[in-house]
Amino acid sequence: MKITSVETIPVDRYLFVQVNTDEGITGVGESGAWGYLEASAGAVESFARYLVGQDPLRIEHHWQYCYRYSHFRGSAIMGALSAIDIALWDIAGKHFGVPSYQLLGGKCRDKARVYYHVFGETRDEIIRGCKEAKETGFTAVGHLSPFLDESPDVPYFKTHADKMTEAIEAVGAYREAVGNDVDLCIEIHRRLTPAEAIVLGRGIEEFHPFFYEDPTLPDNFDAMAQIADKIHIPIATGERLLTIHEFEMLLARGAVQYVRPDVCLCGGITGAKKIAAIAEAHYVNVVPHNPLGPISTAACLQIAACIPNFAIQEYPKGELEPPKSEIINKPLKIEKGFLIIPDAPGIGMELTPDAKERYPFIPRKVQSRLHIDGSVIDQ
């Protein structure tokens, strides 16, 4: 079997990659470099010049060859490599007639617990979303910001006391709304300094969040370790990290209690499986990052199926609604807050032939939120 072509398929706000073979088997993957998908598509085209004519089953070799052939990398490059890797695992599963996870050691579980996205521009909207998620059968809610989903068009200002007090009260209100029947995955989106993150982390300890996600920027592992050392709730981070080496450095510092590899960014199924093994050695569980399209969810589920230290899966809103539901052949089945592990060959999901035409690509707007003084803030 040989690879005959590698295609980029931009759809709506997503970038999919399809790898075709001379035996008629195709594989599909997705890039997680969501802010730089056009650049990631260019990287796919570069890798394609090597991949055409190769045996698609030599997955690890192709991963190493593409990753190590040049000197410069980043999210656009790793998103491209991840998409290709997922597509190759899809091909391998179809070739052998088994789910991709079967080639990675087989199932550790039959279903994967998920947390549901809750959004809102007001506290009441978020509380209502938490209650609705509970009523629907979810046992965890995430993307749950104590700072609300404020518009980046609005200049920001709050005193420290106001910022901390409102955020702590918000988490308390979320807990009161759902009781202890629903876990709260608190999402900070990297918007705090380490000093602020420590104050807020201590302030919400009494509400027992499942995890405290990305309390500060992830670039300095020592800063994250400083926060972890001074609070008593678990930190979850890793969605912006690209390599096994970065995760190892984070874990070695005791800076994370739940790792969050993005299967579409950290090197695909190959990279995510290795990250999970490193985390397992530190008694740390895995929460795959997944704010993307349905191919990402399908790829994440292959990892959730085959690793022993899986904790919970991010489940983005809209998976069962257009456009997501209309660009794939068959959505994953969800029951009472759990995704059922599929038994179809490969990753168990295909793009519809007309996905690109029905939902043309929407480039992302370059936009950062500003402080009231005119400087850039993180949100």
Side-chain angles (χ1 to χ4, degrees), residues 181-334:
D181 297 326
V182 175
D183 279 317
L184 306 179
C185 305
I186 302 301
E187 168 71 271
I188 306 301
H189 277 135
R190 304 158 293 274
R191 68 186 294 167
L192 300 177
T193 65
E196 291 173 322
I198 292 166
V199 172
L200 179 56
R202 288 176 171 174
I204 64 175
E205 285 176 3
E206 63 178 297
F207 307 119
H208 305 293
F210 192 166
F211 55 71
Y212 187 40
E213 183 177 359
D214 288 333
T216 197
L217 292 168
D219 309 278
N220 187 322
F221 300 153
D222 291 329
M224 197 72 76
Q226 177 190 4
I227 298 168
D229 188 53
K230 290 181 169 59
I231 63 175
H232 299 97
I233 54 177
I235 287 177
T237 191
E239 67 184 58
R240 290 193 180 190
L241 304 185
L242 307 175
T243 70
I244 57 174
H245 313 291
E246 290 172 310
F247 279 94
E248 194 282 328
M249 288 187 284
L250 192 70
L251 287 158
R253 287 165 169 77
V256 61
Q257 288 71 53
Y258 290 99
V259 291
R260 301 225 53 210
D262 189 315
V263 180
C264 298
L265 193 63
C266 72
I269 291 172
T270 296
K273 186 71 160 61
K274 292 177 181 180
I275 291 163
I278 297 170
E280 182 186 357
H282 288 81
Y283 301 112
V284 167
N285 284 354
V286 179
V287 182
H289 180 244
N290 177 33
L292 304 168
I295 299 300
S296 169
T297 306
C300 285
L301 211 54
Q302 300 301 310
I303 292 296
C306 70
I307 62 172
N309 54 330
F310 168 78
I312 195 168
Q313 173 64 56
E314 182 172 8
Y315 184 65
K317 197 168 187 176
E319 289 273 301
L320 302 178
E321 304 166 1
K324 289 187 177 184
S325 63
E326 295 184 348
I327 62 177
I328 55 170
N329 63 333
K330 186 179 180 182
L332 295 165
K333 187 177 181 181
I334 187 160

Side-chain angles (χ1 to χ4, degrees), residues 69-148:
Y69 99 96
S70 190
H71 308 292
F72 305 102
R73 307 181 189 103
S75 61
I77 306 300
M78 291 303 293
L81 179 56
S82 300
I84 291 167
D85 180 84
I86 293 166
L88 295 181
W89 279 107
D90 192 24
I91 289 171
K94 291 171 181 175
H95 175 75
F96 292 107
V98 297
S100 299
Y101 61 72
Q102 196 67 38
L103 304 175
L104 296 162
K107 283 196 298 186
C108 291
R109 56 190 51 82
D110 297 318
K111 55 186 180 180
R113 187 186 180 201
V114 302
Y115 70 83
Y116 187 65
H117 280 183
V118 175
F119 297 91
E121 294 183 1
T122 68
R123 188 180 296 181
D124 287 343
E125 287 179 4
I126 295 182
I127 289 173
R128 184 163 57 250
C130 290
K131 290 180 177 179
E132 289 173 354
K134 180 180 178 180
E135 291 167 2
T136 308
F138 290 96
T139 62
V141 291
H143 208 284
L144 197 58
S145 173
F147 300 107
L148 309 180

Side-chain angles (χ1 to χ4, degrees), residues 315-361:
Y315 184 65
K317 197 168 187 176
E319 289 273 301
L320 302 178
E321 304 166 1
K324 289 187 177 184
S325 63
E326 295 184 348
I327 62 177
I328 55 170
N329 63 333
K330 186 179 180 182
L332 295 165
K333 187 177 181 181
I334 187 160
E335 293 180 354
K336 297 181 179 180
F338 286 80
L339 280 171
I340 306 304
I341 306 295
D343 57 7
I347 66 170
M349 189 175 287
E350 307 282 349
L351 292 176
T352 56
D354 61 350
K356 186 176 179 180
E357 288 69 34
R358 291 187 67 183
Y359 293 98
F361 181 63

